[in-house]
Amino acid sequence: MKKTGIWIATGALLVTSGMAFAQGSISGKAILQGAAPAEKAIKMDADPYCAKTHATGVTTKHYIVGPGGGLANVFVYVKDGLAGKTFPVPKEAKLLDQQNCLYVPYVMGIQVGQLLQIQNDDSTLHNVHCMAKNNPEFNLGQPVKGMKSEKVFTKPEVMVQFKCDVHPWMFAYVGVLDHPFYAVTKEDGSFTITGLPPGEYTLEAWHHKGGTLTQKIKVEAGEAKAPDFIFKPKT
Amino acid sequence: MRNVPETVHEYNIPRLNVIFVVTSLLLLGSVVWMVYRDYTREWKTYQNKSQEFEKLKLILDVKGAETKAQEANIDQLLLQLRETRQKLDEEHGIVAQLAVTESLLKTALGVATSEYQAQKSNLDQLVSQYDAMVELNPDDPLLSKKMEQIKRQREMLLQKKAVMDAAKTNHDTADAQLAKAKEAEIDLDKQVRKLTKERDLAGSKLDKLTNVRLNLVDRIPMLEFAAPFTRIQQVITEDQKYDLNFTQVSRMDRCSTCHAFIEKKDGLEPGQQGFRYSGLPHPWRSHPRLDVFLSPDSPHPVQKFGCSTCHLGWDRGVGFMSAAHTPQFYPVEKEYVYCDGLKRWMEPSTFSGLEQNYQSSHDALGSWKTSLEERRDKLAREISGKDTSQPDLAVKKDDLVRVKQDLGQVSRILASLPPVENVEKAKKESSTQARIWHDQYGWHPIHHKEDPMRPKEFVESSCLKCHLNVTWIPQKPLPEGTNGPNTGDKINQAIRLVEQAGCYACHRIQQLETTAKHKVEAGETLQAIANRYSSEPQMILASNGLTKPEDLKIGRDITVPIRVPTDRAAPTLAKIPAKVTQEWMEKWLLNPKEFRANTYMPQFWGLDNNRAGMKYTSQDGKQTFDWADRNIAEIHAITEFVFHRADATVDSPAPPPGNPENGKKLVAEVGCYGCHVEKETWEQIPAKDRMFRTRGPMLSGGGSKYSPGWLYAWLKDPSQYHEATRMPNLRLSDSDAADIASYLLQDKNHVFDEKKIPDVKPGVVDDMVVDYLQTKMPLNEAQEKCKGMSADEKNQFAGEKLVRRYGCYSCHQIRGLETEKPVSIELSDWAGKKVTQFDFGFIHMQEKNHYGFLHQKLSNPRSFDRISAKRPQEYLKMPQYNFNEEQIDLIMTAIMSLTSEKPTPASAAHLDDSQWQIENGRWLIKELNCAGCHVVEGRGGAIYAKIEQPFMRPPILAGVGIRVRPDWLYHFIKQPGDHKYRYWLNARMPTFNLTDTQMNALIRYFALLDKQPYPFEKATMAGFHPSQALVPAGERLLIDFKCLSCHAVVTPEKARENGKAAPNLMMVKDRMRPDGIIPWLNNPGDTSRPNPVTPGFGLMPPNWPDQGPSPFTNVLDGNVQTQIEAVRDYLMTYEGPPH
Ligand SMILES: [Cu+2]
């Protein structure tokens, strides 16, 4: 018991000082090859509150494509290559918000054991229905604006779907991992995963419509450039 | 020596000596051989090895218990105990002193008390003297003196009382101190014992196994008899007997002699490291599903049921062959590896389980050894050269002794443990269980054993022996973290298949019948008897050969059939001309599966004993006919007969034109797929759903089969065609029925349509008629009579004979043959028959047994008489079902469970009154196929796979008895169309034509299942009054929780477009039991348990997550339960959305 304690302490020390271990990072881009399929209009009139917050109309946002085909909302993570290693659980919580009858963010990552806060910023009823398969499924009603619930995942699971049964268009996807090496692509499709120990890894990129793509990558000290993840449009 | 005269003998001494020596040696040799043979008996080698495993397990147990004790801080406790004891020792003088003082005080108290008493009586005496004196002379001068005396005495009395009380207080204090000092010690001692108990238990067992002296002495051949390490283990089951030469003998199962750990639980969490009995190879491996079998807390404890009750085999056998082990019936080729360490073959998965056991033992022991060594060194350092009488050091000294003991054992066991790398696979091969057994145990097929063990695949055949009178053999949910088929799945599917294929219609199977014996009492009507047993009056009369209710005489013993099928196994033929043409039927009979690939209608013609090209000799012996022609003649005659016997029907008018596209949509939506499959996907449906979805025929080839008018009328109201039909009424509108009919008629089977039935040859028909006439008259008379018959008369005559021969009426209703007995042999004791009773005919099998015969019979029933000189009507007639292997396996499982061997009443699964009533409902649920659309008791919901969105699925039926009012349920089942609780569903609750007995059986089932009182005094609204104080708060909460975001009633179309909907709250007061709303609101859609009170698809969010807190603290002080009650009370008055 004491022994492991020391190891963890030493490990933490080394990690925070950032000196003893050479660390690498991976950066890359997700690209959509071809034209994005047309998004569908979301009819929110079932709940007047939601309809009002989107007076100009709202569509699905399956494909958010930046210049050069950069594809946002792709969850990129280290799938293989970290077996046997453990990583401290971040103390800060992650937030899954409900704003104007949409989940924000649409795609996010979290670590096993890390606190997930789920918040309702709307003056309407949402129910947070977590459709986890590997973790316990749960369903929470949040009838009041500002209501906050807290949950923790106990097992890795990529991806966990969240939905709201009151507003059938509301979805969010959460990648649960037992390590911190993941990223969600930005509007331009780029991502960076930092702090990786050198080694050989399998990267997987997940997109809600485009499916998953994998590639192997070798990381040494410094920045490794991952080849682009090229998704084909699917409806 | 020389002086001694040589004695002369008749015999040669040296030779005799040689003989003596030789015979002595032979005798010695045979004794040694005998001892050796006995010492190395098969089971002894297994037991010796099992002790090795036991040691491993025990040392790990010791370690586990030790760790647990350490974690519970046993060192601290031991120190405390020692300190307490020492303190107690030190205080002993004080305590004793207190005790002495207490006893002295007690004596003093006694003295004081008696003095007080004496004083009191003295005083009383004085007082009464005083009174007497006053009475005699009020002015007596002595009175004042007397009064003085009384006063003095009174003071003394008070003093004495004070002394007594003080003594009492002192005594009590001392007593309490004493008890407290002792109590601390007792309590600590108890705690220590609790922590060390587990360890001591495992430790003492381990000591015995590893004791050097015992192992040296008691394992010596011959001496081992005295205190044997190895001995034959047996379980004698009083309740489980078998028939041995006409006497009932208790089973004496010696299986655990070799299967030493058969009932041992691993005691580990899934994934936890450690020694697993389930990871050992046979015979040491533990039994699967110990939560169901063998364990004392399981439903089948080994002490009561033994082993051979289910597995069969020779119960007393302690050798592999003598116990009559039987290998798997299906010879599966698979990989086997050889374990050098155990000298055994095993499957790779078993091998890796073994490796894991060794590995985790090595790891655990190794690390324990290291930690023990560290501890030993540390303790030795700490106490070296110090006075160990101090409590903390004394504890350490004791600890050191134990650590050294443990270390000795761990080292010994580690040394004897085979190194992990030595337990390695030597060979890999592809083999079967039978071949591996042959190599391993010299196994060979046995012919003389009467009840060889069941092959592994058929062990569930034993369930039916005890579990009679139930619709489903009870099942326990799979343990968490496991998946795959569950125990009981196979036998349950097997019984369902036997029912659906209609085996019981031709072969009586008493195990599938439920009856009650009843003596008719005075004043008892037929209806009353029917009600009492949930039976039907007509069935009671029919099964007792009676025609009118008046025939039920008082005192008559009758049989009451219970839980009988609601209809025959196959469609009625009483009105067949309205449905199909004669031509269709002839083509259908020729090869039913060609028309519908999954039909249970078997094939009778064109099989291995009557194929085209096969010949038979005519009755007059002059001609040779081809079976192809005879088959056509038989089919034609049967069709003619069946159509002739049917009711005269008027042609149904053609349906109005329909829209097949909409029809297709409706078929998918209204719920047809709860009972029917479609031809595109029927093969992919999982078995658990298939048994529900094959209750009706596959929806294919309608255009080639049905009369359009008939189909339209049938869809609208099936009961107008056949009153007892299982097809319920879906209340289709004219246009919906027309649309569905047009869709079903669109699908045609072109291969079938183009098939032509060859012409009937008159010569063959005549020969067929003569064949049957000859059973009553000689050949020439028969020929003469045949000549005088018209073509139609011939068909009617031969048709009836053939229908009777093949037993068509067993499954189908045919006018005039409704009460005929089943056409074939009874199967109720088929598995109990001797193999020699089976006619294997022309089939050659290496090993003749029940399973082989049955498999052949089911895969090719006519193969037993391929070539024969029999008359055509003497040929084997069992039809060919064209079952697939999976179905054959299931039917074999069912048939192999049919024996007349009965458990004693004590062990037969007993149903109490309420279980009996529940079974009545369960049977109906099965007959009506409710589980095609609903999940009932965790089973079914077969249609869910066809309805993607959970909110559109028919509800899960659990907790119905708790939540739903019986009166509402009655009306709902009676007239489902009147109720719009889930108004948005496309799937329709059909209207079933149920009798009142059936209705009551169903409602009672739901009530009893949820342990609700029946009849339902408490269940209705009677006695419930919503609290007027709570109603306004309930209304407020309904608004605040925004319940109407989902529960607002919109049009069904709007709800489906929104992609969400929830029940109509205005119906709550009529539908829900007031008590039943509370658990629902507390935990809506709880699916965590197999049969939850509040089932659901998880669509309704818990508004008070995890029982609170309430998000609305300003209502009813935020009290969750009061808020829930308020919502309930409001809903019980709810008339519509608040304004
Ligand atoms: Cu919502």
Side-chain angles (χ1 to χ4, degrees):
Chain A
M1 222 14 235
K2 259 181 194 155
K3 242 182 188 172
T4 31
I6 292 168
W7 274 113
I8 290 168
T10 330
L13 199 71
L14 292 176
V15 168
T16 43
S17 66
M19 305 246 308
F21 286 139
Q23 286 184 342
S25 67
I26 306 174
S27 62
K29 208 170 177 191
I31 304 273
L32 183 74
Q33 200 172 62
E39 303 286 350
K40 286 190 196 94
I42 300 174
K43 280 179 77 179
M44 289 193 179
D45 37 338
D47 187 335
Y49 172 87
C50 302
K52 209 170 66 201
T53 59
H54 295 277
T56 52
V58 60
T59 65
T60 55
K61 293 197 178 64
H62 296 311
Y63 291 98
I64 299 173
V65 184
L71 183 60
N73 280 340
V74 175
F75 185 70
V76 185
Y77 70 103
V78 174
K79 190 180 189 189
D80 273 319
L82 292 163
K85 296 195 178 77
T86 52
F87 301 92
V89 176
K91 288 219 169 53
E92 59 278 14
K94 285 259 180 166
L95 178 69
L96 177 60
D97 206 351
Q98 294 156 101
Q99 292 175 354
N100 301 333
C101 300
L102 292 172
Y103 276 112
V104 179
Y106 182 53
V107 176
M108 65 185 278
I110 195 168
Q111 224 171 305
V112 169
Q114 191 175 4
L115 192 66
L116 174 69
Q117 292 181 327
I118 309 158
Q119 188 172 311
N120 182 5
D121 276 350
D122 292 332
S123 299
T124 189
L125 164 74
H126 291 300
N127 79 302
V128 183
H129 197 167
C130 166
M131 309 292 285
K133 303 269 181 300
N134 209 12
N135 286 282
E137 187 181 328
F138 62 83
N139 186 353
L140 307 164
Q142 294 192 330
V144 189
K145 181 171 178 170
M147 215 174 145
K148 199 181 264 186
S149 307
E150 296 186 334
K151 287 279 170 181
V152 169
F153 290 102
T154 51
K155 286 177 190 155
E157 183 173 350
V158 177
M159 305 288 286
V160 175
Q161 188 196 51
F162 278 74
K163 64 176 194 176
C164 171
D165 301 304
V166 183
H167 307 115
W169 60 82
M170 286 177 67
F171 290 102
Y173 296 89
V174 178
V176 186
L177 298 167
D178 50 9
H179 60 73
F181 307 113
Y182 59 83
V184 178
T185 58
K186 297 185 204 138
E187 298 251 320
D188 63 354
S190 69
F191 70 90
T192 311
I193 296 172
T194 55
L196 260 175
E200 284 184 34
Y201 300 104
T202 306
L203 274 190
E204 184 166 275
W206 171 97
H207 183 261
H208 168 48
K209 288 284 170 183
T212 55
L213 298 170
T214 54
Q215 50 176 268
K216 293 212 184 304
I217 187 162
K218 193 168 179 179
V219 173
E220 286 158 1
E223 188 177 305
K225 188 96 184 87
D228 290 346
F229 285 103
I230 305 204
F231 286 92
K232 301 263 159 59
K234 286 175 201 160
T235 44
Chain B
M1 288 296 259
R2 203 170 286 171
N3 295 342
V4 181
E6 200 177 323
T7 336
V8 179
H9 289 291
E10 293 287 329
Y11 40 83
N12 183 340
I13 289 287
R15 213 176 111 201
L16 211 61
N17 283 342
V18 169
I19 290 170
F20 178 73
V21 167
V22 168
T23 46
S24 303
L25 283 175
L26 273 175
L27 193 64
L28 181 67
S30 64
V31 167
V32 169
W33 179 78
M34 269 167 56
V35 170
Y36 171 78
R37 280 301 298 259
D38 176 70
Y39 194 66
T40 59
R41 277 171 78 183
E42 201 180 359
W43 62 269
K44 288 194 178 178
T45 61
Y46 297 142
Q47 273 197 15
N48 283 324
K49 191 70 208 171
S50 70
Q51 282 155 17
E52 299 284 308
F53 289 129
E54 189 67 21
K55 274 189 234 169
L56 268 187
K57 170 70 178 165
L58 284 171
I59 193 85
L60 289 173
D61 281 356
V62 171
K63 189 202 169 201
E66 178 72 30
T67 316
K68 238 195 269 174
Q70 295 289 349
E71 274 166 9
N73 228 342
I74 191 164
D75 288 350
Q76 191 58 37
L77 273 178
L78 282 170
L79 185 61
Q80 273 178 25
L81 181 63
R82 191 170 282 269
E83 280 171 354
T84 314
R85 279 192 178 142
Q86 207 162 45
K87 207 167 137 205
L88 205 60
D89 281 347
E90 284 163 9
E91 282 173 357
H92 192 72
I94 304 165
V95 176
Q97 192 60 48
L98 278 168
V100 171
T101 314
E102 179 260 331
S103 79
L104 283 174
L105 283 167
K106 205 178 194 174
T107 317
L109 180 66
V111 173
T113 311
S114 62
E115 276 183 15
Y116 170 80
Q117 294 295 346
Q119 190 69 29
K120 199 165 181 285
S121 64
N122 198 7
L123 187 64
D124 289 347
Q125 207 183 345
L126 283 174
V127 170
S128 65
Q129 280 173 6
Y130 182 85
D131 290 350
M133 281 163 74
V134 171
E135 206 156 303
L136 277 175
N137 179 11
D139 301 320
D140 194 333
L142 284 173
L143 271 178
S144 64
K145 210 178 166 190
K146 204 80 183 168
M147 184 49 94
E148 273 304 303
Q149 213 178 341
I150 287 174
K151 272 184 186 162
R152 260 202 323 277
Q153 294 296 336
R154 260 202 189 122
E155 272 162 30
M156 270 175 79
L157 188 72
L158 284 174
Q159 277 169 22
K160 291 202 164 145
K161 190 170 188 299
V163 170
M164 181 175 76
D165 288 351
K168 195 171 188 308
T169 313
N170 285 344
H171 164 246
D172 286 355
T173 315
D175 200 37
Q177 276 172 355
L178 189 69
K180 203 176 175 204
K182 281 182 177 167
E183 189 194 14
E185 191 239 343
I186 290 165
D187 183 52
L188 275 172
D189 192 50
K190 224 185 251 171
Q191 286 185 48
V192 168
R193 265 176 220 278
K194 208 172 138 196
L195 284 177
T196 51
K197 195 177 141 199
E198 214 177 304
R199 187 195 189 283
D200 291 349
L201 199 72
S204 70
K205 281 190 201 158
L206 186 62
D207 284 346
K208 191 181 172 268
L209 276 180
T210 52
N211 184 300
V212 180
R213 185 194 59 81
L214 283 179
N215 272 287
L216 274 181
V217 178
D218 292 353
R219 284 191 196 273
I220 292 173
M222 309 290 287
L223 284 183
E224 47 151 2
F225 292 117
F229 266 89
T230 53
R231 71 178 76 190
I232 287 179
Q233 305 288 338
Q234 64 186 18
V235 174
I236 300 172
T237 53
E238 294 296 329
D239 289 347
Q240 304 296 331
K241 303 195 177 186
Y242 60 93
D243 194 61
L244 187 74
N245 303 329
F246 309 108
T247 50
Q248 291 286 306
V249 183
S250 279
R251 293 184 181 272
M252 191 187 284
D253 287 333
R254 295 183 167 161
C255 313
S256 55
T257 301
C258 299
H259 296 278
F261 306 130
I262 198 72
E263 55 182 305
K264 293 264 173 116
K265 287 184 179 159
D266 290 341
L268 297 171
E269 299 292 317
Q272 194 188 335
Q273 280 281 306
F275 185 90
R276 289 189 147 74
Y277 293 114
S278 61
L280 293 172
H282 292 298
W284 303 284
R285 173 185 287 241
S286 55
H287 199 281
R289 292 303 299 272
L290 288 170
D291 57 328
V292 182
F293 304 108
L294 306 188
S295 303
D297 52 352
S298 77
H300 308 99
V302 68
Q303 291 303 329
K304 191 172 170 202
F305 290 92
C307 312
S308 65
T309 304
C310 301
H311 287 279
L312 308 189
W314 178 235
D315 52 344
R316 281 133 227 252
V318 287
F320 189 85
M321 280 305 289
S322 64
H325 285 87
T326 307
Q328 288 174 0
F329 176 74
Y330 302 104
V332 187
E333 290 285 340
K334 56 189 161 192
E335 193 187 339
Y336 284 86
V337 294
Y338 193 73
C339 168
D340 272 343
L342 289 175
K343 302 269 174 280
R344 299 181 80 69
W345 290 101
M346 55 190 76
E347 286 174 43
S349 57
T350 312
F351 187 84
S352 62
L354 185 65
E355 261 183 335
Q356 269 169 31
N357 270 339
Y358 274 104
Q359 188 66 58
S360 54
S361 308
H362 265 279
D363 291 353
L365 288 181
S367 71
W368 195 23
K369 193 181 170 203
T370 318
S371 74
L372 281 172
E373 280 165 353
E374 279 170 13
R375 202 176 155 96
R376 177 195 63 192
D377 296 346
K378 187 167 162 266
L379 287 169
R381 263 198 317 279
E382 280 169 1
I383 59 169
S384 80
K386 287 188 187 135
D387 173 20
T388 52
S389 62
Q390 288 300 310
D392 55 334
L393 290 181
V395 167
K396 284 177 178 165
K397 194 181 152 200
D398 286 357
D399 205 13
L400 183 62
V401 173
R402 217 185 50 235
V403 165
K404 279 181 177 167
Q405 273 174 7
D406 286 351
L407 199 53
Q409 267 190 353
V410 171
S411 308
R412 260 203 309 283
I413 288 174
L414 255 179
S416 70
L417 196 65
V420 175
E421 59 271 23
N422 274 9
V423 194
E424 63 187 11
K425 32 190 152 178
K427 290 174 203 167
K428 286 185 189 183
E429 266 172 29
S430 170
S431 193
T432 62
Q433 194 178 43
R435 293 213 299 278
I436 282 292
W437 281 9
H438 174 78
D439 297 349
Q440 185 90 52
Y441 313 99
W443 179 86
H444 52 83
I446 13 176
H447 300 289
H448 59 279
K449 290 277 185 208
E450 218 161 78
D451 266 335
M453 263 181 233
R454 288 193 190 280
K456 192 176 160 190
E457 301 96 323
F458 297 103
V459 72
E460 286 190 13
S461 291
S462 294
C463 305
L464 210 58
K465 209 193 283 182
C466 300
H467 291 283
L468 294 166
N469 295 332
V470 293
T471 307
W472 300 92
I473 308 276
Q475 289 181 276
K476 270 198 173 186
L478 283 167
E480 226 174 288
T482 54
N483 41 29
N486 195 358
T487 305
D489 276 355
K490 193 176 182 190
I491 184 69
N492 276 327
Q493 281 174 25
I495 293 168
R496 289 294 89 85
L497 183 59
V498 162
E499 283 173 358
Q500 289 189 4
C503 310
Y504 68 89
C506 293
H507 304 279
R508 184 166 185 215
I509 299 174
Q510 289 188 38
Q511 283 87 343
L512 300 187
E513 295 169 8
T514 305
T515 56
K517 296 259 175 271
H518 182 80
K519 191 187 265 299
V520 181
E521 287 162 20
E524 207 172 26
T525 65
L526 178 61
Q527 187 63 49
I529 298 172
N531 289 350
R532 178 165 171 184
Y533 294 97
S534 286
S535 186
E536 297 292 335
Q538 282 314 309
M539 289 181 334
I540 297 174
L541 289 180
S543 69
N544 291 284
L546 306 174
T547 48
K548 332 183 270 298
E550 298 83 69
D551 295 343
L552 278 182
K553 297 275 183 312
I554 294 162
R556 188 179 172 138
D557 288 307
I558 56 166
T559 314
V560 183
I562 302 167
R563 299 172 214 152
V564 295
T566 51
D567 194 9
R568 288 171 184 266
T572 176
L573 300 179
K575 296 180 185 172
I576 188 71
K579 184 176 175 184
V580 299
T581 63
Q582 217 162 314
E583 189 202 353
W584 179 86
M585 183 157 148
E586 289 184 16
K587 288 200 271 187
W588 160 258
L589 289 178
L590 209 50
N591 188 347
K593 281 220 168 172
E594 199 174 84
F595 182 75
R596 189 183 289 141
N598 76 336
T599 184
Y600 291 123
M601 170 76 182
Q603 186 181 347
F604 290 78
W605 297 278
L607 299 172
D608 270 19
N609 64 356
N610 60 5
R611 231 173 253 302
M614 286 184 161
K615 309 287 185 203
Y616 67 95
T617 312
S618 66
Q619 294 304 306
D620 55 15
K622 289 178 186 155
Q623 291 180 74
T624 306
F625 291 127
D626 195 301
W627 264 107
D629 296 324
R630 168 77 174 216
N631 292 345
I632 296 301
E634 289 193 359
I635 286 171
H636 185 65
I638 288 175
T639 312
E640 285 286 333
F641 172 75
V642 166
F643 271 69
H644 180 80
R645 275 292 171 98
D647 299 352
T649 44
V650 190
D651 270 352
S652 313
N659 172 356
E661 276 310 305
N662 192 45
K664 181 180 182 176
K665 203 172 123 244
L666 285 169
V667 164
E669 282 178 359
V670 298
C672 305
Y673 291 136
C675 301
H676 299 271
V677 295
E678 65 270 59
K679 67 174 177 186
E680 291 80 11
T681 53
W682 70 276
E683 279 166 301
Q684 285 103 55
I685 299 169
K688 69 171 185 58
D689 286 351
R690 209 186 308 144
M691 63 177 148
F692 300 110
R693 293 196 51 199
T694 47
R695 286 308 297 269
M698 184 194 292
L699 299 181
S700 67
S704 304
K705 178 175 179 184
Y706 303 117
S707 141
W710 174 86
L711 183 59
Y712 174 72
W714 166 258
L715 288 168
K716 286 200 63 182
D717 181 10
S719 66
Q720 49 74 33
Y721 176 71
H722 177 46
E723 204 182 355
T725 182
R726 288 195 173 90
M727 168 96 165
N729 189 329
L730 280 137
R731 305 180 303 279
L732 297 171
S733 68
D734 289 358
S735 77
D736 284 354
D739 290 351
I740 292 179
S742 69
Y743 167 66
L744 294 176
L745 292 168
Q746 213 176 32
D747 190 62
K748 292 188 176 173
N749 185 329
H750 295 293
V751 181
F752 185 85
D753 287 346
E754 273 151 37
K755 206 158 76 170
K756 286 275 171 289
I757 289 282
D759 288 337
V760 177
K761 293 188 175 158
V764 176
V765 175
D766 287 353
D767 181 64
M768 175 171 76
V769 170
V770 170
D771 184 6
Y772 282 102
L773 280 172
Q774 265 193 95
T775 51
K776 291 266 172 65
M777 56 191 84
L779 176 65
N780 53 353
E781 265 179 54
Q783 285 168 325
E784 213 42 52
K785 181 151 193 199
C786 177
K787 262 184 209 147
M789 292 164 87
S790 71
D792 188 51
E793 278 168 345
K794 286 175 193 167
N795 279 328
Q796 293 307 326
F797 170 75
E800 176 163 1
K801 293 285 179 197
L802 288 159
V803 163
R804 287 179 183 278
R805 167 167 154 79
Y806 295 119
C808 311
Y809 59 81
S810 302
C811 292
H812 299 275
Q813 181 192 19
I814 297 174
R815 289 282 188 236
L817 301 175
E818 280 100 338
T819 53
E820 294 296 310
K821 292 268 172 296
V823 71
S824 197
I825 59 153
E826 179 169 345
L827 296 181
S828 307
D829 189 26
W830 194 86
K833 281 187 169 184
K834 303 225 182 319
V835 181
T836 46
Q837 287 174 270
F838 301 140
D839 181 5
F840 283 82
F842 289 86
I843 297 296
H844 296 282
M845 278 180 200
Q846 201 195 359
E847 190 186 344
K848 287 187 172 167
N849 59 27
H850 286 73
Y851 300 96
F853 182 82
L854 201 48
H855 189 270
Q856 182 67 26
K857 189 87 183 169
L858 288 165
S859 17
N860 193 345
R862 303 284 181 89
S863 58
F864 297 91
D865 69 352
R866 216 163 289 196
I867 330 151
S868 173
K870 296 174 189 170
R871 287 166 62 183
Q873 58 167 305
E874 291 164 353
Y875 272 56
L876 285 180
K877 61 181 180 182
M878 159 116 174
Q880 166 73 280
Y881 279 80
N882 292 305
F883 285 131
N884 61 31
E885 276 297 325
E886 187 195 334
Q887 291 173 316
I888 291 176
D889 181 43
L890 287 174
I891 293 184
M892 284 171 70
T893 306
I895 306 293
M896 285 311 292
S897 57
L898 307 178
T899 82
S900 59
E901 186 191 311
K902 292 276 182 297
T904 59
S907 62
H910 174 73
L911 301 177
D912 64 25
D913 191 46
S914 129
Q915 286 167 325
W916 183 265
Q917 304 282 10
I918 287 176
E919 279 302 331
N920 287 344
R922 233 173 233 153
W923 172 266
L924 257 181
I925 295 274
K926 187 265 297 177
E927 278 294 303
L928 303 175
N929 208 31
C930 304
C933 294
H934 301 277
V935 173
V936 193
E937 294 195 69
R939 209 175 255 123
I943 206 173
Y944 289 178
K946 305 286 293 180
I947 304 175
E948 199 189 344
Q949 288 170 297
F951 86 104
M952 294 299 287
R953 293 174 183 165
I956 297 168
L957 300 186
V960 172
I962 290 173
R963 287 180 296 114
V964 182
R965 284 171 53 173
D967 49 344
W968 185 88
L969 195 58
Y970 180 89
H971 291 298
F972 177 68
I973 299 174
K974 204 90 182 161
Q975 303 281 357
D978 292 353
H979 300 265
K980 304 281 181 213
Y981 185 65
R982 291 184 179 84
Y983 58 89
W984 66 92
L985 291 188
N986 283 322
R988 288 181 199 180
M989 171 76 176
T991 310
F992 295 92
N993 239 338
L994 300 182
T995 62
D996 270 2
T997 314
Q998 290 172 320
M999 293 289 298
N1000 283 329
L1002 273 182
I1003 294 167
R1004 186 163 33 205
Y1005 160 82
F1006 284 118
L1008 293 176
L1009 202 60
D1010 289 323
K1011 306 197 165 45
Q1012 294 303 303
Y1014 183 91
F1016 320 91
E1017 301 92 353
K1018 280 184 70 185
T1020 55
M1021 287 283 282
F1024 176 78
H1025 302 288
S1027 152
Q1028 289 311 312
L1030 286 178
V1031 165
E1035 175 169 1
R1036 171 87 190 277
L1037 286 164
L1038 192 93
I1039 298 166
D1040 287 350
F1041 274 116
K1042 303 184 176 71
C1043 302
L1044 296 180
S1045 327
C1046 294
H1047 286 282
V1049 179
V1050 294
T1051 62
E1053 295 73 26
K1054 185 75 187 163
R1056 296 194 281 262
E1057 188 196 316
N1058 288 345
K1060 60 158 191 191
N1064 181 352
L1065 296 181
M1066 280 180 271
M1067 295 180 63
V1068 165
K1069 58 182 176 304
D1070 296 327
R1071 181 180 185 270
M1072 301 285 281
R1073 294 184 54 222
D1075 292 352
I1077 302 179
I1078 304 289
W1080 170 259
L1081 289 175
N1082 261 310
N1083 204 356
D1086 168 24
T1087 46
S1088 55
R1089 283 167 298 145
N1091 198 20
V1093 174
T1094 58
F1097 302 109
L1099 296 175
M1100 164 115 168
N1103 286 313
W1104 296 268
D1106 307 320
Q1107 312 295 312
S1110 170
F1112 301 108
T1113 45
N1114 52 343
V1115 183
L1116 298 172
D1117 300 331
N1119 184 311
V1120 173
Q1121 285 314 313
T1122 320
Q1123 288 192 355
I1124 287 177
E1125 265 175 52
V1127 171
R1128 185 264 311 266
D1129 287 13
Y1130 175 56
L1131 288 177
M1132 287 316 243
T1133 63
Y1134 186 74
E1135 294 286 354
H1139 301 291

